[in-house]
């Protein structure tokens, strides 16, 4: 009989590896009957893993996640998406009004208002990195937490904020229609581990075999994802593999369950973040993240970043020393 | 000002309650209306006062009301209709508000009508704290305060003991004739107390059982100020009236007349 | 007996005028059609707003687009799935929250023992946002149906308590005294005098609570829900599918109208005596 | 006059027994202290729950920790900043939503012209979750104070409308008729008869609406707010700082108690006649 | 079963309303209580029926009520106290529910009391659709349905016309004496109508103005079934009673007695 496990996840393309592993039966091959539990916010996923309602979770790293994991109940065991130069990544948009007043590049963000989703979110961290790279203090930027992507879009369009950092599938149409101006890419400034696969500490000790099986299947999914969407040709442009449309359709089933398959698949291809083919974590970046968040007072000083990670399930995590 | 009932008829759905009622009442006149329970007396008053639209006929007024009148056609309701959240005083004040009266006039009017109805000590009590008869007296006090041209009174003394009733009837007699500075006023007086009817009325309309129809109009002659409750002549008139009504009662025992029922 | 006259009708003088009718009792009538027309007007306003660009098309599509989205969802069977999932949660949560709320509200309205602690706790707990308590809900009720039903039950419980005890406080105590005087049991007094007397207020509270229940579908379906109108609205928001988002809003709104219609019908039947 | 007796008191027989008292009218009393005790009990229960591990310490800290967090926030002045920001929004939003809600509810309760369209639109719009419409709010009201006040105003408007028209429907029309019969203007009838008659229901609605207003601080302060109790709770939730989150919840709860206390005092004064 | 008022006294806050009232009433007896408006008659009834606790003295019962009695001490309230959401029939049914009576008995009882009070045609009407007198009769019908051992009636016929009142008084007379199969019952009858008092009562307690105190106890001899309203002897007794009361009224004109006011 198959062992039942559930995974909490959001409907994002960046979790595509997981969806592929499900669709292609990699979990079944490992003897796991995986049920996907879709959430509409990241927070409850981590909570559900802590409370034991789901065995695994895949989400972005936030200050909140680190705070929760820092209490010892969670372990990050593999990677999700990553910000990598040359691949899709978050973009910085300026409102038309601000652009006209001279906000044309990232170094001019000082003194401007910037919309982010939430305090301690990836956008918040990325704004910090942009500030550091451009030599101004984050404090000189007025951060506006707006909670949701629709709110961010509404704010930039109506000029309520001067700039936002936002995912490419939303940024591009805005820039294309002239409702906002693209002024930079986050990946030009920093590479960044967005999120990961995590489970409860109890699982890593009590049900190690299950976790190992899960990770193996998960890695296969990640590999398929990387092959389909991330291959590059000689000139450094993304060269989609011939079967990428079929692969994208599999991912789209979970990300855009309600949309027409062809259209949805195209959206998936256009929004494919970089995912490591072996689902390896950028360990050094995570340590940097936690340190920065601690410095900002967003993560509790008592949190030990290394203790959050369990690197024993995958060999060769990046920057692990 | 005269109030005129002009061939008034009314029905509630299939239930006819009033049939072709006509009469007139003017200043210094009292028309008493007596009749069996449920024959339409309260309905008639409501129609006369413009609170209900008759199905046929009209309520009319002729002549101007006295200038000082705050509310020419004024009711004393059978169920009192007091505002439970206002004190006795507040209930009376209600009808004085919005007429641009000075504070002093308002206070004096309230003092006067409460004294006349024996409620001075209870000016600040809420209706809930009053006895049944006291509530009824608040309704009377309020009506007096409005300085009516015609008073439409629906069993106004029914909850009062004989002596209080005597005193208030004396008061009403004075009011109608316009004693002192006040102007005379008209009164339509619904009652089931025949002694009251003969004591106060110029004309007594005896209604039949539902649908109410004027069976007889009895005229009581003589100055009402000279009448006394124990006047043998009045007692005799009341007895006569009673015989008249009893004949009707014998005719159709209990309320089993062949009217359409309200049921269903 | 003297002086009998059968018609005292006066000669009509020029001066006669009808008594002014003053019987308007502020008893407004309900017209279903007018209500429907108001909804149509709202949709037309919305159409105008999107035609004239008062609402950005990205954020708020036109009624036509939303109806298209609705049609697609209806045809694919998706709508039925979402709606049935939400209806079960709503019915369950409102049944629990409403019943418990009425019972507790009655207790607060009737018993000195319950009143002070009960009313205080309600005042203290009602203002706590459900969203802030999601972690605890997950801990206590898991991420399955029970946490969703619990969210709605909690959300509808408090307004029902307040509406009920307000209504009970307002029941004429002289009727209670009458019941006592006829030796009715406390149970009979509560069920035959106080409950019917409080019914108008309770039904009014139900209108409020049911609407709150529908609003809370969103909060409830934040936690691990794949199906449900609230989950769909949330997902559509995350994916910036504003046509689907507004389609979901329209569905919630129709749901609200249906529930209000049902309460209205119940009211009409039970309060015919007014 | 014959047969006068001044005392007919019977010889006390063994058989005599007092008439059973049956005057209990279900008029419960309010005891401030008992209410306070209930709150203390709640906190003790919470303490017990965290001491005995019914609540995971990861998700729900003990009362002690929360009080510590509150103390820190109070000392640093942070609490005052958040509280004053929220109070301004709450007062503004509730003042607008409450007043408009009472006015519109009165109109629905009094006028045939308004009733059907008004009640229908309220039933259709109330169940729409504010969160789903935040993007439109941003478009219309910006991300400054006005969108926050508007969120609370909208949220409190609808329950006030429903409570008000329910209460108006329930006012004894024979009192209105009395007012008419004394020639009171419609305005006087509305302000002196219908409004006071509907007051109990309106106050009950205010209890509900004010609590909803406090709950909505969260939704309101979702948009670009750095200050405010709601914003603090949200940020604490995002950061998983459960001590600060619960501190915020405690503040909201105290706010709710205060508002309920004020309404209770007003009720006591205005409804003394009951 | 006997009902005993044992030195009952009562006050509302600073307002004394009853002072040392004692009397007894048993099966086949009628004690009428007359007295000025606001003197505490309704309060006394409430105390006797256990609805209010007296400040001094006690209400007692002696002996067992008849087995068939659903509610030994039964009220007819001055303000009727009908449930507005129940029909006439439903209001009567209220007091029959929960006693394990068969459907047939309930239906028969309702039919009987509605017929006696002339309400048969209005069985399914709501109180709002009734006239004042009809509402009062529903209150009487309901009380009769409860098969009381002692009836506590608070001005039960005040809203009724003379002929309906006559008919209902005949009915009450029969009830008290236990005509037919029924057992005799006792009655405390508050009224301001002296004719009613002499027509029905064995003893009439004449109360003074507030605080109500028994000024006189007037005994009316003779079989009440033989009495007729127009019996000259009864008329004489009523006139005597009236003189007695008037003397009190003259003594302290209007309600300006030096009682503590309820104000403030
Ligand atoms: N609930 C109450 N609170 C305060 N005072 C009250 C209350 N009920 C009655 N009273 C007062 O007690 C006195 C006696 O009232 P009660 O109703 O017993 O009079 P009553 O003899 O029945 O008068 P009536 O013939 O007018 O009905 C009155 O002065 C009244 O104001
Ligand atoms: N709103 C109403 N709806 C239906 N029927 C009504 C309504 N009001 C009164 N009636 C009926 O009309 C008839 C006359 O009622 P009305 O109140 O005028 O009688 P009344 O002569 O004043 O009687 P009473 O002396 O008992 O007060 C009654 O049969 C009553 O049932
Ligand atoms: Mg009448
Ligand atoms: Mg009384």
């Amino acid at each position: 009989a198959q062992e039942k496990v559930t995974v909490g996840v959001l409907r994002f393309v960046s979790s595509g590896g997981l969806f592929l592993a499900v669709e292609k039966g990699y979990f079944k091959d490992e003897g796991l009957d995986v049920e996907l539990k879709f959430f509409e916010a990241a927070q409850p996923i981590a909570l559900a893993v802590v409370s034991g309602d789901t065995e695994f979770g895949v989400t972005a790293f936030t200050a909140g996640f680190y705070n929760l994991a820092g209490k010892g109940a969670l372990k990050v065991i593999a990677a999700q998406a990553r910000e990598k130069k040359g691949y899709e990544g978050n973009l910085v948009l300026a409102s038309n009004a601000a652009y006209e007043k001279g906000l044309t590049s990232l170094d001019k963000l000082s003194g401007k208002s910037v919309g982010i989703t939430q305090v301690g979110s990836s956008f918040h961290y990325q704004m910090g990195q942009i500030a550091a790279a451009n030599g101004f203090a984050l404090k000189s930027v007025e951060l506006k937490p707006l909670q949701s992507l629709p709110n961010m879009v509404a704010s930039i369009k109506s000029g309520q904020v001067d700039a936002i950092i936002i995912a490419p599938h939303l940024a591009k149409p805005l820039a294309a229609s002239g409702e906002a101006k693209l002024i930079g890419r986050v990946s030009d400034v920093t590479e960044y581990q967005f999120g990961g696969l995590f489970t409860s500490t109890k699982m890593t000790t009590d049900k190690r075999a299950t976790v190992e099986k899960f990770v193996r299947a998960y890695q296969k999914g990640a590999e398929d994802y990387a092959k389909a969407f991330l291959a590059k040709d000689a000139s450094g442009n993304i060269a989609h593999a011939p079967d990428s449309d079929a692969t994208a359709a599999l991912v789209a089933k979970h990300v855009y369950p309600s949309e027409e398959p062809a259209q949805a698949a195209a959206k998936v291809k256009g929004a494919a973040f970089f995912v490591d083919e072996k689902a390896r974590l950028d360990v050094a970046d995570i340590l940097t993240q936690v340190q920065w968040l601690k410095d900002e007072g967003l993560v509790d000083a008592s949190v030990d970043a290394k203790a959050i990670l369990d690197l024993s399930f995958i060999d060769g995590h990046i920057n692990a020393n | 000002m005269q109030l005129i009932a002009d061939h008034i008829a009314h029905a509630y759905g299939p239930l006819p309650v009033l049939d072709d009622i006509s009469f007139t009442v003017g200043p210094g006149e009292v028309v008493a209306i007596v009749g069996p329970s449920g024959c339409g007396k309260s309905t008639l008053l409501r129609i006369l006062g413009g609170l209900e639209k008759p199905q046929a006929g009209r309520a009319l007024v002729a002549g101007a009301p006295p200038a000082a009148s705050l509310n020419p056609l004024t009711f004393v309701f059978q169920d009192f209709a007091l505002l439970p959240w206002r004190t006795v005083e507040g209930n009376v004040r209600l009808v004085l508000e919005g007429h641009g009266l000075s504070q002093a006039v308002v206070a004096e009017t309230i003092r006067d009508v409460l004294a006349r109805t024996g409620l001075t000590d209870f000016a600040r009590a809420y209706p809930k704290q009053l006895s049944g008869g006291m509530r009824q007296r608040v309704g009377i006090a309020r009506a007096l305060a409005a300085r009516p041209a015609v008073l439409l009174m629906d069993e106004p003394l029914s909850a009062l003991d004989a002596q209080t009733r005597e005193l208030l009837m004396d008061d009403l007699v004075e009011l109608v004739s316009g004693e002192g500075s006040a102007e005379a006023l008209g009164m339509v007086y619904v009652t089931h107390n025949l002694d009251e009817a003969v004591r106060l009325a110029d004309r007594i309309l005896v209604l039949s059982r539902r649908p109410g129809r004027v069976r007889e109009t009895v005229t009581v002659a003589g100055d009402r100020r000279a009448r006394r409750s124990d006047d043998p002549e009045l007692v005799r008139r009341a007895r006569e009236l009673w015989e008249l009504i009893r004949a009707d009662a014998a005719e159709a025992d209990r309320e089993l007349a062949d009217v359409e029922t309200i049921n269903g | 007996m003297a002086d009998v006259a059968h018609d005292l009708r006066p000669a009509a003088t020029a001066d006669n005028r009808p008594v002014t009718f003053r019987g308007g009792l502020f008893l407004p009538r309900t017209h279903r059609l007018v209500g429907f027309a108001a909804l149509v007007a709202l949709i037309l306003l919305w159409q105008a707003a999107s035609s004239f660009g008062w609402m950005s098309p990205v954020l708020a599509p036109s009624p036509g687009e939303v109806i298209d989205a609705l049609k697609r969802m209806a045809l694919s069977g998706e709508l039925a799935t979402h709606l049935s999932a939400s209806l079960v949660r709503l019915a369950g949560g409102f049944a629990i929250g409403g019943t418990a709320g009425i019972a507790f509200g009655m207790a607060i309205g009737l018993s000195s023992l319950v009143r002070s602690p009960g009313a205080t706790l309600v005042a203290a707990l009602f203002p706590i946002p459900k969203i802030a308590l999601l972690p605890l809900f997950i801990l206590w009720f898991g991420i399955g149906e029970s946490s969703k039903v619990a969210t709605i039950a909690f959300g509808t419980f408090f307004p029902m308590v307040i509406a009920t005890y307000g209504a009970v406080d307002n029941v004429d105590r002289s009727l209670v005294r009458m019941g006592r005087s006829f030796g009715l049991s406390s149970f009979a007094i509560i069920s035959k005098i106080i409950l019917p007397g409080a019914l108008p207020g309770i039904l009014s509270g139900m209108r409020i609570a049911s609407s709150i229940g529908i609003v809370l579908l969103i909060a409830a379906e934040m936690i691990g829900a794949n199906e449900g109108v609230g989950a769909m609205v949330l997902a559509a928001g995350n994916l910036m599918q504003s046509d689907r988002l507004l389609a979901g809003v329209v569905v919630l709104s129709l749901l609200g109208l249906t529930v209000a219609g049902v309460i209205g019908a119940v009211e009409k039947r039970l309060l015919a005596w007014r």
Side-chain angles (χ1 to χ4, degrees), chain A, chain B, chain C:
Chain A
Q2 299 231 307
E3 187 182 355
K4 258 194 83 80
V5 293
T6 55
V7 192
V9 65
L10 297 173
R11 294 186 189 275
F12 285 144
V13 177
S14 39
S15 300
L18 175 69
F19 302 142
L20 290 177
V22 171
E23 287 295 328
K24 295 195 165 180
Y26 297 148
F27 288 116
K28 277 216 179 69
D29 298 346
E30 294 283 352
L32 295 178
D33 175 12
V34 166
E35 187 197 347
L36 296 177
K37 272 271 174 203
F38 289 101
F39 284 68
E40 299 304 341
Q43 215 73 39
I45 297 181
L47 291 167
V49 173
V50 170
S51 72
D53 283 291
T54 67
E55 280 79 15
F56 296 93
V58 179
T59 57
F61 296 141
T62 63
F65 179 83
Y66 290 129
N67 275 326
L68 187 64
K71 295 193 173 140
L74 294 179
K75 289 276 188 267
V76 176
I77 53 178
Q80 190 217 25
R82 196 189 310 161
E83 189 86 63
K84 193 169 164 74
K85 207 173 168 107
Y87 292 92
E88 281 300 349
N90 285 347
L91 304 176
V92 182
L93 295 180
S95 74
N96 286 337
Y99 189 85
E100 260 145 45
K101 289 210 187 103
L103 179 57
T104 50
S105 61
L106 298 184
D107 56 328
K108 304 210 171 84
L109 278 170
S110 175
K112 299 292 188 295
S113 65
V114 176
I116 58 173
T117 50
Q118 297 172 343
V119 176
S121 65
S122 357
F123 300 124
H124 189 170
Y125 177 75
Q126 290 181 333
M127 190 57 228
Q129 298 305 103
I130 290 170
N134 287 288
F136 57 85
L138 183 57
K139 284 207 170 48
S140 70
V141 177
E142 196 188 343
L143 289 176
K144 294 272 186 195
L146 297 168
Q147 309 308 330
S148 76
L149 297 176
N151 291 352
M152 302 245 284
V153 171
S155 302
I156 196 73
K157 279 174 35 163
S158 54
Q160 301 290 340
V161 291
D162 297 325
I164 55 171
I165 305 177
I166 195 163
H169 71 284
L170 296 174
K172 284 177 185 166
L174 283 172
S177 68
E179 289 172 297
K181 297 280 185 297
L182 179 64
I183 58 169
R185 300 168 180 280
V186 175
S187 59
D188 291 344
V189 175
T190 175
E191 297 207 341
Y192 170 73
Q193 183 68 54
F194 262 116
L197 167 69
F198 56 94
T199 185
S200 65
T201 309
K202 220 158 126 26
M203 286 285 292
T204 62
T205 55
D206 299 3
K207 292 195 154 181
R208 220 181 144 75
T210 309
V211 179
E212 281 168 353
K213 286 189 226 168
F214 190 93
V215 171
R216 269 200 300 276
Y218 180 80
Q219 280 183 298
K220 281 190 195 162
E223 196 172 348
D224 284 359
Y225 178 101
K227 272 192 195 141
F229 306 130
L230 305 177
K232 290 204 167 179
D233 62 17
S235 58
N237 290 325
I238 301 279
H240 288 301
D243 67 339
S244 69
D245 281 333
T247 312
L250 294 179
V251 175
K253 252 173 82 180
H254 294 286
V255 179
Y256 301 105
S258 60
E259 291 191 14
E260 221 192 316
Q263 216 179 337
K267 278 199 202 175
V268 167
K269 278 166 74 178
F273 275 54
F274 179 83
V275 167
D276 185 75
E277 56 185 353
K278 291 269 176 266
R280 290 165 299 190
L281 290 161
D282 184 343
V283 177
D285 181 56
I286 292 176
L287 300 187
T288 314
Q289 284 183 39
V290 173
Q291 191 51 51
W292 186 86
L293 292 167
K294 278 187 187 175
D295 293 345
E296 287 291 312
L298 298 170
V299 163
D300 205 84
S302 64
V303 170
D304 175 4
K306 286 205 170 111
I308 294 171
L309 307 175
D310 188 333
L311 305 178
S312 62
F313 291 93
I314 291 176
D315 287 335
H317 284 293
I318 301 157
N319 300 330
N321 308 305
Chain B
M1 196 184 83
Q2 270 196 319
L3 176 64
I4 302 158
D6 178 14
H7 294 292
I8 287 172
H10 195 60
Y12 288 107
L15 187 83
V17 290
L18 283 174
D19 188 8
D20 195 33
I21 311 271
S22 296
F23 67 89
T24 308
V25 61
E29 287 183 326
V30 176
V31 171
I33 296 177
V34 301
S37 171
C39 75
K41 304 181 291 297
S42 300
T43 305
L44 176 60
L45 278 199
R46 283 201 294 272
I47 290 170
L48 289 175
L51 296 185
E52 200 134 6
K53 279 186 186 134
Q55 289 201 332
R58 292 174 303 170
L60 300 167
V61 287
S69 177
L70 301 180
N71 186 46
L73 295 174
T74 294
F75 279 85
V76 173
F77 290 95
Q78 189 172 13
D79 61 357
F80 319 154
L82 305 181
L83 298 182
W85 53 85
R86 288 200 176 209
T87 59
V88 167
E89 189 184 40
N91 268 284
V92 175
R93 174 165 287 129
L94 178 75
V95 307
L96 299 170
E97 287 164 350
H99 289 283
L101 301 177
S102 76
Q103 279 293 94
V105 171
V106 168
E108 173 53 25
T109 306
I110 292 174
R111 208 200 52 69
D112 173 49
V113 296
L114 292 189
R116 286 209 231 178
T117 49
L119 289 168
T120 307
D121 287 347
F122 289 86
R124 290 204 217 135
Y126 286 102
K128 211 186 81 155
Q129 300 173 306
L130 302 179
S131 79
M134 291 161 107
R135 280 178 216 166
Q136 189 165 47
R137 283 180 275 154
V138 179
I140 298 171
R142 179 177 61 187
L144 299 184
R147 298 191 220 140
V150 178
L151 252 176
L152 303 168
M153 305 185 99
D154 201 350
E155 313 201 350
L157 308 179
S158 66
L160 298 174
D161 59 290
Q163 75 223 56
T164 309
R165 205 158 57 218
E166 265 318 292
L167 292 168
L168 282 173
M169 274 198 284
D170 289 345
D171 238 41
L172 292 179
V173 167
E174 280 181 30
L175 264 174
V176 168
S177 13
E179 214 88 327
S181 61
E183 285 197 59
L185 50 79
M187 194 184 289
V188 182
Y189 191 94
V190 170
T191 182
H192 49 261
N193 186 318
L194 305 180
D195 298 327
E196 275 174 38
V198 294
R199 168 94 166 75
L200 289 176
D202 298 294
R203 290 189 297 287
I204 302 169
L205 264 54
V206 182
L207 297 193
S208 67
R209 44 192 51 251
R210 179 166 15 85
R213 192 180 281 128
V214 181
R215 257 169 40 81
E216 310 270 355
T217 305
V218 179
T219 306
V220 186
D223 183 0
R224 96 172 48 79
R225 271 168 295 183
R227 298 179 199 166
R228 286 284 153 266
S229 298
D230 46 6
D231 177 348
E233 169 60 14
L234 284 190
V235 171
R236 198 185 56 74
R237 293 303 297 261
R239 184 110 22 97
E240 270 178 24
L241 207 53
W242 170 223
E243 294 302 335
L244 189 69
I245 286 167
R246 206 208 299 259
D248 188 35
E251 215 169 86
D253 195 51
R254 301 285 162 97
E255 292 219 348
L256 298 168
D258 56 357
V259 294
E260 289 263 347
T261 68
I262 203 167
N263 298 358
Chain C
M1 194 127 262
D3 314 298
V4 171
H6 278 280
D7 193 345
L8 293 173
R9 189 182 177 189
T13 70
D15 183 37
N16 282 1
R17 57 193 189 282
V19 167
T20 17
F21 178 68
R22 38 186 189 170
L25 297 185
F26 294 110
L27 282 170
R29 289 173 163 269
T30 310
H31 305 279
R32 266 176 194 289
L33 264 179
V34 178
F36 186 73
L39 289 180
V40 172
L42 183 72
I43 293 171
L44 288 181
L45 186 79
W46 172 11
Q47 178 68 57
S50 54
S51 302
F52 297 122
W54 305 331
M55 300 198 303
S56 149
V58 177
L59 295 177
S62 73
E65 295 171 78
V66 171
I67 290 170
D68 270 357
L70 260 180
K71 223 186 279 171
R72 263 179 281 124
M73 288 163 59
L75 289 178
S76 70
E78 198 194 348
L79 184 61
T81 320
H82 289 316
L83 199 56
S84 63
S86 286
L87 275 180
V88 170
R89 286 163 196 153
L90 186 65
F94 188 43
I96 297 172
T99 316
I102 292 176
F104 195 57
M106 292 289 288
I108 290 182
L110 298 175
S111 150
S112 290
L113 224 71
V114 183
R115 188 178 189 89
S116 291
T120 308
L121 289 183
V122 167
L125 299 179
F126 188 2
I128 298 179
K130 302 318 148 270
I131 302 183
L133 293 188
L134 279 187
L136 287 179
F137 272 57
I138 293 176
L139 198 64
W140 289 332
F141 303 107
I143 58 167
E145 285 306 297
S146 30
S147 61
K148 299 174 186 76
V149 172
T151 305
I152 294 171
F154 270 89
T156 53
F157 173 76
F158 293 111
M160 276 319 294
V161 171
I162 293 178
T164 304
Y165 83 72
V168 169
D169 285 355
N170 212 22
V171 171
D172 183 357
R173 280 332 191 245
S174 73
L175 295 180
V176 176
R177 177 183 287 151
M178 180 277 293
R180 284 263 179 246
S181 84
F182 279 98
L184 267 59
S185 66
S186 289
F187 177 77
I189 288 181
I190 291 170
S191 62
K192 293 174 187 172
I193 299 178
I194 292 179
L195 203 56
L199 199 63
I202 292 177
L203 284 175
S204 178
M206 278 180 134
R207 280 183 194 276
I208 296 176
S210 60
S211 292
I212 293 179
I214 297 174
V215 169
L216 282 179
L217 277 174
I218 289 256
E221 294 175 353
M222 271 192 178
I223 337 166
N226 296 323
E227 286 155 6
V229 184
M232 189 198 92
V233 167
L234 278 171
N238 284 338
L239 300 174
M240 289 298 290
Q241 301 166 325
S242 33
D243 54 343
R244 283 169 59 83
L245 187 146
L246 280 179
V249 165
V250 167
V251 171
L252 292 178
S253 171
L254 290 176
L255 196 57
L257 277 171
T258 312
V259 176
V262 170
I263 295 175
V266 170
E267 207 164 56
K268 210 165 173 182
R269 241 187 87 83
L270 293 182
L271 304 184
W273 53 271
R274 286 206 297 208

